[in-house]
Amino acid sequence: MRRLLQGTLAFAIATFAICASAQTYDRIFGYGAEAPDVPPNDTEAARFLTQATFGPTRSGIDRVRALGYNAWLDEQIGGTVPTLALPHVEVLTDSQFSGNNSTNDINQNRRMDRWFHTAVYAPDQLRQRVAYALSQILVVSDRPDNLNQDADGISNYNDILVTQAFGNYRLLLERITYTPQMGKYLSTLRNRSAYQSGNPANTILPDENYAREIMQLFSFGLIKRNNDFSPALLAGQVQPTYNQDVIVQLARVFTGLTYTGATTFFNGTPQPQQPASYQPMICMDRIPPQLTQDVHDRAAKTIFDAQVLPARPFSAADNGAACRADVTAVLDLIANHPTVGPFISRQLIQRLVKSNPSGAYVQRVAQVFNNNGASVRGDLAAVVRAILLDPEARASVVRAAGSGKVKEPLLKLTAFWRAFDVVAPASRNEPICTLVNPTTCTGSPVVVPYIPMGIASPERNYVQRPLGAISVFNFYEPDFQQPGQVANASLFSPEFQILNEVTTATMANDLRTRAFSFVGMTNPPFDRPLIELAPLVALATTPTNPDALIEATNQRLLNGLMSAEMRTALRGFMTHAAITGMTPVNRVAELLHMVALSPEFAVQL
Amino acid sequence: MSRQTQTQRREFLKRLGATVAGGTAAAWMPQLNLMAQSMRATCPNPPNYRAIVCVYLAGGNDAWNMVIPTDATRYQSYLNSRGGVYDAATNPAGVGVGSAALLPITPSNGGSYGLHPSCGDFTVGTPAITVPGLRTLFNQNRIAVLPNVGTLIRPITKTEYNSNPALRPPQLFSHNDQEKLWNLGKTQLNERYGWGGLLADRINQCNGRADVPACISVAGTSLFQVGQEVFPYGLSTSATGAVGLSAYTNASPTSSDALRRNVLSNLLTANNTNLLQREYGAVTKRSIDLFTDFSTALQAPANQVALARPANNSLADQLWTVARTIRARTMLQQNRQVFYVRLGGFDTHDAQMGANGQPLLITRINQALGWFYAALQEMGMESNVVTFTMSEFARTLNSNGNGTDHAWGSLQLVMGGNNVGGGKIYGSFPEASLNGPISFSRGQFIPDLSVDQIGAQLGLWMGLENSDLAAIFPNYANFSATALSGLAV
C-alpha cells in the first residue's frame, strides 16, 4: 500500500514536472519509488551536484531544485553543447610551433589551462565529469616522451571522451582504438605482424601491450564477474577471462595500424601541430606500393572464450580491409563480453558516487549497461542516469562506516573554486604565426587569446594530472584498500592510494594559497583565478560571533552537513584572539582553509 | 579492533600480557595470539643499526641487458634470441647490446660476464668527483647478482607449467598482479600484508620510539610496507623530507600556527562514524605530528650528505632522503628500518633501445645506486644497509619490433658492504634461448629463485627467527633455504 501511494505520488510529480514524459515515469518506477525526483532541500541538491559536477554552486543548486533530477539530467545530456578542448588548444599549439625544430616549445600548459577552465566554468558539467571519469578508465597520458609535446593529440583524445560521454561504449572503444595517441601510448602504431629481422634472423612478434590492457583495464578485467560484480565462479573457482595465449593471439589483431598520411606504412609521421597527428589511424594489410609484405596478420586467431576470428584474404583493391574487419570483430566481441557491464559500471560508480557500492547497486546499473530499456547495449547516458538516480546514490546522507568516497584531490580544488564563484583572470595573448607553409612560420603575428588558470603542473601538489597519469593503471586502482581501519573493514578506497603524509600536506598547502587568492587582495596575481569572498566578508562583521560565517561555509563546502563537533571547534577557532584580530577577509580565508583541510570536506557522503 | 597508535597498542598489549599468557584473552580475541607472537624478535644488545632498502623498478625491467654472459657460446645465444645488436639504421628491431661496449665483471664463483655500458663510474658535482658505478662495485664485492628470480608457488618445470595451470602463480604477465606478489612474498592475490611490513612488525620493538614508523617510503604507499601493525610513512625528496602544513608548523605554543594546529587536530581526530573520514584524519594528523621531528632531523647539518647528487635522477633524490634518514637514526631512535623507493618507465614495449630508453634507465639505476653506496660510506654505514632491486617481471628476450613484452623470471641486484656476499652470481644464470628448457617461446624464463628466498635472507639478517619465516612466506618450505646463503651476513 505504501509503495503504491509513493508510486502514485511519484507519478503525480512526474506528470507535473516541467519536462514530464513517459520515460520519466518509467525511470522513477524503475529505480524504486523511494527516490524522489525533486531534491527535498539544498543539502540533497548539493550532494547530487557533488556527484554530477565539479562542485556545487548556488545557481546549480537552484537549478536542480527547480527542474528536479530527471529534467536536470535531460538538460545536461541532451540540451547542452559539449565544451571541447582541441579547437581551442590547436590554435595555440600552432602559435607555439615554428619551422625550426630547435625553437619549438610545444608543451601541455595551454591544455592544462583549458582543462581547468572547462572544469570550473563549462555549462556541460556532467558531460565533462563523465569524460574525466572515462579518462581514468580508458587511460592515455601525456607523460611519456612520445606524447608530452602532443597537446593537440591529447586534447583530441579528451574530446573523444567528451563527445562520447553520453554515447555508446562500443563506439567509444572504436574511436580510442584508432586514435594515434592510443597508438603511441599502448604501442599499436606501426605494430606489425610477425616478420624476420636481425642477423642472425629472429622472428619479431607483435607488441602485446594494447591487447593486454584493452582487456585488463578498458573492458572486462581479469576474472569473469556477475552483474553484481561478484566473481562468476565455476565449480567454486574464479574464472580468468583470458590467459597469455589469448594475449598473443589478440596482439596479432592490432597489427597494420599507421598514420593517416602514410604511403608506405612507415612514413607519414606528422608534425605535432598538424591535424594528421590526431586524425584516426588507418589500417594497412600489406606495405604499399609493392603490396607483397604483410603488416597485418590475416591468419585465423582464437581469442577469449575460444572465439575464432576467421582467416581473411588480401585484396589489393582495399589494402586494409582485413585489418579493419579484424579490429571491428574483436571490438564487437570485447564490448559484448558479459563482464563489461559490471566492470565498467562499478568504476563509474566509484568515480562519481561511492567507493563501495552494494552488489545490488552495481547490478542495477550493469543491467542498464546491458540493455538501456530500448534493447541498446552500452548506452552511457543511460548508465550515468542509472548511477545518479539509483536509490543508493539518492538516499539521504548516510554517515555509515563504509559510505561515500574520498574526493579526488583535483575535485577538491575545483569544488573549492566553484563554491566561491572564482573569477577567471583576463585572457592573455599568445602570438600566432600564420601558417603559410606547414613547415615554416611566416606572416604577420596575430594574437590568440587564452585564459590562464595558473596550474600547469597540478600533479606536483595534487598527484593527479588530467589525462596525465603515471601509468595506464591511472592514479589509483579500483581495488586499493588503505591499510589499517579501512582495509580491516574490507572497504575499497581507491583515492587513498595517492594520499599519504606527503600529499595531504602538499594539497593542504596549495589550498591555502587558493584560499588567500581572492578578489581585492593586495598585489593580485594575473595568471590565475581569484575567489570571490565579498558575500562571506559581509557575514564576518562581528569577529566575536562567527556563526553566520561558519554556517555559510558549511553550506558552500560541506553541503550543509557540518557536524556539531566540527562547528564547535570552528567557533573556538574563529573567536580566538589570534583570529579575531585579523582583517575580515583574512578571517574568512583562515576559516575556508581550515574547512578545506577537514575530514568532512575530504570525503563526500 | 579500532585503530590505535602504536604506543597505545603496546601499552594495551603489555597490560594484557598476563591474560594472553593465561590463554583466556585469546579465546575472545583470537588475533591477540598472533599479535603476541608477532612481537617476538631478537633485538641485539647493544643495539646495532640495520636497514633494508627496496628499489622498485616499475614496469618490468629488461634486466637481461644489464648483466650479459660474455663467453662465446652464451653471448651468441644471447644475440640469437635478442635479434642481434640494436642499430638504429641497420638493425632497428634488434634488442641486443654489442659485446665491445660491455663492462667486464669477474664473479668470484666463475663465469664471464659484462655489464651494460651504462654501469660504469661517473662524476658528480663541481669540481667533479668520480663515483664508482655498478661495475666497479661488483668487482669490489659490493653487488650480488641474482639472475633468475621471480614469483613462484614452488619450483616448477616447463612440463608442469604446461600440464598443470594450478601450479603457476596467479595472473602472470599482469603488471599490478605481479607487483603485488613481489610485495606480498606470497602467491595469494587477496593477501593484505607485504613482507616488508610483516618484517617491520616483528623488528619494530628494536626501535626506541614507537611513534616513528619503521617503514618509510619516499614513493607513496606500497603494499610492500604494509604490516599488521606497521604502515608505511611517506617522505618526499625535499630538503625537509617531511612536508609541513604552511602556517601550521611553528612549534611555539603561543603562535597562531599552534592555534591552527590544535583546531585542525580536533577536526582530524573527531569521532566520525565514517571510516574514510577517520582514516583521512589519521593520515593528516600523522603528517602534522611527525613533521617537526622529521624535518629537523633531515635538515640537521650533521645529517646531510656531502657528496653531490647526480642530476635529473628521481631515484637518487629519493635515496638522498633515505640517506639523511639513516644518518638521523640516533635522533629518531631507529635501529631497524625498511625503506621503499621507486623508479618508473621500465615497461619498454616501445623505443627500448634508443638513447632515451633503456640506456637512460640503466644510467639512472647505476648512478643512483652508486651515489647511495658512496653516501653510506660517507657515514660509515655501508655494511649496515642492504639495498636490493625488485621488479614485477623481466621482459621477452625477443623483440616486438622496437621493444619487448612481458616475461617472468628476472635478474635482480643486491648491494651492501661486508654484510652482503657480493661479487658473485647466485643461482644459475640461464642461457638465453627461445623455447628452451626453462623458457617459453619468446624467452620468458621460469624463475630459478623465488621472491621468498630473497625476503627470507634479508629478514633473517634483520633479526627474524627461522620460525618467523613461514608466517611471512607461506611457500618458503618449497624452496631451498641455502641457495642464497651468504647473501646477507
Side-chain angles (χ1 to χ4, degrees):
Chain A
M1 185 62 175
R2 179 164 159 264
R3 190 172 269 275
L4 178 62
L5 280 174
Q6 284 180 326
T8 309
L9 187 60
F11 181 48
I13 292 172
T15 309
F16 292 154
I18 294 170
C19 299
S21 67
Q23 283 178 316
T24 308
Y25 172 99
D26 285 337
R27 270 187 238 112
I28 289 177
F29 264 46
Y31 303 135
E34 296 83 6
D37 184 49
V38 177
N41 48 45
D42 278 1
T43 289
E44 287 306 319
R47 280 189 61 243
F48 176 79
L49 295 174
T50 301
Q51 297 168 350
T53 71
F54 283 87
T57 61
R58 182 68 250 168
S59 60
I61 291 170
D62 291 341
R63 188 77 183 147
V64 73
R65 288 194 72 176
L67 292 181
Y69 298 125
N70 274 291
W72 188 91
L73 289 170
D74 288 339
E75 184 172 80
Q76 285 285 308
I77 292 173
T80 316
V81 176
T83 306
L84 302 179
L86 179 64
H88 178 87
V89 170
E90 76 177 326
V91 175
L92 293 161
T93 305
D94 288 350
S95 80
Q96 292 171 341
F97 178 83
S98 82
N100 179 355
N101 281 340
S102 68
T103 62
N104 278 344
D105 180 26
I106 299 177
N107 54 42
Q108 301 276 344
N109 293 351
R110 301 290 84 81
R111 180 178 81 78
M112 277 300 119
D113 287 328
R114 180 66 175 179
W115 189 90
F116 279 97
H117 188 274
T118 300
V120 174
Y121 299 110
D124 54 327
Q125 281 285 301
L126 178 62
R127 179 184 289 277
Q128 296 296 329
R129 181 77 194 266
V130 172
Y132 179 49
L134 290 170
S135 78
Q136 299 188 45
I137 303 172
L138 312 170
V139 176
V140 158
S141 169
D142 69 354
R143 301 271 202 140
D145 286 343
N146 63 355
L147 286 164
N148 63 14
Q149 291 209 319
D150 196 356
D152 286 2
I154 301 290
S155 298
N156 181 62
Y157 189 85
N158 179 81
D159 289 351
I160 290 175
L161 302 181
V162 167
T163 50
Q164 287 302 317
F166 300 136
N168 190 281
Y169 173 79
R170 167 64 180 81
L171 180 57
L172 178 56
L173 210 57
E174 177 153 331
R175 294 204 60 193
I176 66 167
T177 295
Y178 280 103
T179 178
Q181 282 61 47
M182 182 62 80
K184 287 196 280 184
Y185 191 59
L186 293 183
S187 39
T188 53
L189 175 67
R190 298 192 184 122
N191 197 17
R192 293 174 59 178
S193 55
Y195 65 99
Q196 299 294 305
S197 177
N199 183 13
N202 208 293
T203 304
I204 309 294
L205 289 168
D207 190 304
E208 296 171 6
N209 208 355
Y210 194 57
R212 181 181 304 281
E213 310 306 353
I214 193 177
M215 291 192 293
Q216 181 168 350
L217 298 175
F218 295 173
S219 58
F220 46 76
L222 293 168
I223 64 172
K224 296 186 180 181
R225 295 186 179 272
N226 301 309
N227 278 334
D228 66 358
F229 200 67
S230 61
L233 303 177
L234 185 64
Q237 297 296 317
V238 160
Q239 304 181 77
T241 44
Y242 60 87
N243 58 21
Q244 182 58 22
D245 290 338
V246 170
I247 299 281
V248 172
Q249 299 279 307
L250 198 59
R252 297 165 52 205
V253 171
F254 298 110
T255 53
L257 292 161
T258 186
Y259 280 114
T260 184
T263 53
T264 70
F265 184 74
F266 300 105
N267 66 350
T269 306
Q271 297 284 11
Q273 94 293 4
Q274 291 175 324
S277 70
Y278 55 79
Q279 282 162 353
M281 294 188 288
I282 58 171
C283 264
M284 286 188 182
D285 295 325
R286 286 187 177 166
I287 302 175
Q290 302 88 347
L291 299 181
T292 52
Q293 170 83 56
D294 287 318
V295 281
H296 176 72
D297 186 326
R298 291 176 293 102
K301 309 159 191 73
T302 305
I303 59 171
F304 51 87
D305 297 327
Q307 296 173 107
V308 178
L309 304 176
R312 303 185 195 275
F314 171 73
S315 159
D318 189 356
N319 174 30
C323 167
R324 287 195 310 276
D326 268 341
V327 171
T328 298
V330 145
L331 295 184
D332 284 343
L333 292 171
I334 288 175
N336 282 330
H337 193 291
T339 300
V340 176
F343 187 80
I344 296 292
S345 298
R346 182 233 190 184
Q347 285 190 70
L348 288 175
I349 294 172
Q350 283 188 319
R351 294 293 99 253
L352 300 181
V353 176
K354 59 193 301 191
S355 302
N356 296 276
S358 68
Y361 183 10
V362 178
Q363 180 168 327
R364 289 189 289 268
V365 178
Q367 284 169 339
V368 172
F369 182 97
N370 294 343
N371 184 337
N372 68 345
S375 299
V376 174
R377 178 179 170 79
D379 176 352
L380 293 174
V383 168
V384 169
R385 296 188 90 111
I387 289 174
L388 292 172
L389 293 179
D390 192 277
E392 194 157 315
R394 298 278 52 80
S396 295
V397 65
V398 180
R399 296 179 197 270
S403 51
K405 67 188 293 292
V406 177
K407 287 179 189 163
E408 297 183 35
L410 282 186
L411 294 180
K412 286 172 60 164
L413 173 61
T414 59
F416 187 84
W417 270 340
R418 285 170 61 83
F420 301 107
D421 303 307
V422 70
V423 178
S427 66
R428 302 186 141 185
N429 294 321
E430 189 100 5
I432 183 175
C433 294
T434 306
L435 289 175
V436 173
N437 179 304
T439 57
T440 64
C441 184
T442 60
S444 316
V446 173
V447 292
V448 176
Y450 71 95
I451 299 177
M453 293 295 280
I455 184 165
S457 300
E459 68 279 9
R460 205 172 283 156
N461 289 322
Y462 291 91
V463 188
Q464 292 181 297
R465 179 182 171 82
L467 286 85
I470 280 282
S471 87
V472 72
F473 286 84
N474 192 33
F475 315 113
Y476 33 67
E477 293 182 62
D479 291 334
F480 180 78
Q481 297 181 279
Q482 171 71 354
Q485 57 194 328
V486 173
N488 289 346
S490 301
L491 295 173
F492 298 103
S493 56
E495 293 82 359
F496 260 119
Q497 196 165 0
I498 57 174
L499 290 180
N500 67 5
E501 293 84 0
V502 169
T503 59
T504 51
T506 55
M507 287 175 215
N509 291 342
D510 191 87
L511 285 169
R512 185 166 181 86
T513 305
R514 308 299 169 187
F516 281 87
S517 299
F518 49 82
V519 173
M521 64 187 284
T522 318
N523 294 327
F526 292 105
D527 67 341
R528 62 199 61 190
L530 301 174
I531 53 176
E532 178 55 80
L533 293 184
L536 292 172
V537 170
L539 299 174
T541 48
T542 313
T544 49
N545 184 0
D547 286 356
L549 178 61
I550 292 173
E551 178 54 22
T553 307
N554 175 32
Q555 292 301 320
R556 290 184 185 237
L557 285 182
L558 301 182
N559 300 346
L561 293 171
M562 183 182 291
S563 68
E565 216 178 328
M566 181 170 175
R567 195 180 299 267
T568 303
L570 291 177
R571 196 178 282 126
F573 179 51
M574 296 301 288
T575 53
H576 190 282
I579 302 295
T580 57
M582 294 179 179
T583 61
V585 74
N586 281 348
R587 272 188 280 123
V588 170
E590 289 284 354
L591 176 63
L592 298 196
H593 186 229
M594 182 64 68
V595 173
L597 266 51
S598 67
E600 294 186 30
F601 182 65
V603 174
Q604 77 186 61
L605 292 177
Chain B
M1 180 182 285
S2 68
R3 173 154 166 76
Q4 302 165 308
T5 64
Q6 291 187 1
T7 318
Q8 290 172 333
R9 189 178 287 259
R10 275 179 220 284
E11 294 309 311
F12 176 63
L13 285 171
K14 276 187 206 162
R15 285 193 295 275
L16 277 172
T19 331
V20 168
T24 52
W28 50 272
M29 275 203 278
Q31 68 268 37
L32 273 190
N33 249 346
L34 195 58
M35 280 195 293
Q37 285 168 15
S38 83
M39 303 305 289
R40 183 192 65 202
T42 51
C43 296
N45 193 4
N48 61 0
Y49 178 87
R50 290 193 174 180
I52 61 173
V53 180
C54 172
V55 176
Y56 195 86
L57 306 175
N61 177 25
D62 180 49
W64 299 128
N65 272 357
M66 284 182 66
V67 182
I68 298 163
T70 48
D71 59 274
T73 310
R74 291 202 295 168
Y75 183 73
Q76 192 57 49
S77 303
Y78 160 88
L79 274 192
N80 290 348
S81 31
R82 301 226 89 176
V85 176
Y86 166 78
D87 181 285
T90 61
N91 189 18
V95 287
V97 179
S99 59
L102 297 178
L103 307 175
I105 56 171
T106 46
S108 61
N109 56 340
S112 156
Y113 297 86
L115 295 189
H116 188 279
S118 298
C119 293
D121 299 346
F122 57 98
T123 60
V124 294
T126 314
I129 295 174
T130 303
V131 181
L134 292 174
R135 186 265 195 111
T136 303
L137 290 173
F138 182 90
N139 285 338
Q140 292 174 345
N141 297 334
R142 304 304 172 213
I143 304 274
V145 171
L146 280 59
N148 190 10
V149 197
T151 56
L152 284 171
I153 299 175
R154 65 161 181 67
I156 187 174
T157 65
K158 199 167 165 184
T159 310
E160 288 171 320
Y161 178 94
N162 288 327
S163 62
N164 193 348
L167 295 178
R168 308 171 194 166
Q171 301 299 352
L172 282 173
F173 313 113
S174 161
H175 284 292
N176 57 345
D177 296 284
Q178 292 306 299
E179 175 167 353
K180 193 168 188 184
L181 296 187
W182 270 88
N183 287 334
L184 289 171
K186 317 173 185 53
T187 47
Q188 294 288 328
L189 282 170
N190 60 358
E191 291 279 354
R192 296 208 335 245
Y193 306 115
W195 64 267
L198 292 175
L199 165 64
D201 282 344
R202 286 155 174 77
I203 47 83
N204 198 24
Q205 65 193 45
C206 303
N207 292 323
R209 272 179 70 172
D211 64 324
V212 172
C215 284
I216 290 178
S217 167
V218 198
T221 307
S222 167
L223 182 61
F224 171 66
Q225 293 181 309
V226 175
Q228 288 175 290
E229 301 199 356
V230 177
F231 308 132
Y233 173 79
L235 288 178
S236 75
T237 57
S238 70
T240 52
V243 179
L245 256 59
S246 52
Y248 284 68
T249 56
N250 185 334
S252 159
T254 54
S255 62
S256 309
D257 285 24
L259 167 67
R260 294 186 189 95
R261 203 163 52 241
N262 292 338
V263 173
L264 183 58
S265 293
N266 281 339
L267 299 182
L268 297 174
T269 56
N271 200 16
N272 293 313
T273 317
N274 181 268
L275 290 179
L276 301 175
Q277 289 179 338
R278 292 177 80 99
E279 181 61 20
Y280 171 86
V283 173
T284 309
K285 182 89 169 53
R286 232 174 9 249
S287 176
I288 297 172
D289 289 348
L290 290 172
F291 169 73
T292 303
D293 285 355
F294 267 100
S295 61
T296 303
L298 266 57
Q299 288 183 103
N303 296 333
Q304 299 310 303
V305 179
L307 183 65
R309 279 196 312 288
N312 295 325
N313 192 326
S314 142
L315 188 57
D317 292 341
Q318 294 172 55
L319 290 169
W320 176 54
T321 292
V322 174
R324 287 180 290 155
T325 307
I326 294 174
R327 286 190 80 113
R329 63 197 177 281
T330 310
M331 215 179 267
L332 297 169
Q333 301 179 47
Q334 298 299 293
N335 296 312
R336 290 288 184 275
Q337 292 184 293
V338 176
F339 294 98
Y340 178 86
V341 296
R342 182 185 182 94
L343 187 63
F346 288 88
D347 193 25
T348 49
H349 287 278
D350 240 9
Q352 172 167 318
M353 301 303 283
N356 281 343
Q358 183 175 62
L360 183 57
L361 292 169
I362 297 179
T363 296
R364 291 200 169 117
I365 298 174
N366 182 58
Q367 295 191 353
L369 292 184
W371 177 88
F372 185 55
Y373 190 77
L376 290 172
Q377 284 178 304
E378 216 182 90
M379 61 176 106
M381 295 298 284
E382 71 273 21
S383 297
N384 297 67
V385 178
V386 178
T387 306
F388 63 102
T389 62
M390 301 206 313
S391 191
E392 54 259 49
F393 34 66
R395 305 193 74 81
T396 54
L397 275 179
N398 74 353
S399 156
N400 62 26
N402 64 353
T404 51
D405 298 289
H406 304 176
W408 188 5
S410 183
L411 185 147
Q412 308 296 345
L413 304 176
V414 180
M415 181 174 80
N418 297 329
N419 57 324
V420 164
K424 47 190 288 215
I425 313 267
Y426 286 78
S428 156
F429 199 113
E431 175 154 358
S433 59
L434 308 180
N435 218 6
I438 59 166
S439 70
F440 304 133
S441 63
R442 294 197 56 189
Q444 307 102 316
F445 279 86
I446 299 175
D448 165 57
L449 296 165
S450 78
V451 180
D452 313 46
Q453 290 169 289
I454 300 180
Q457 286 297 309
L458 299 188
L460 292 169
W461 179 76
M462 285 283 271
L464 290 182
E465 307 286 340
N466 270 297
S467 47
D468 287 320
L469 295 179
I472 303 177
F473 306 103
N475 298 325
Y476 185 62
N478 298 337
F479 304 104
S480 157
T482 55
L484 294 181
S485 291
L487 178 65
V489 294

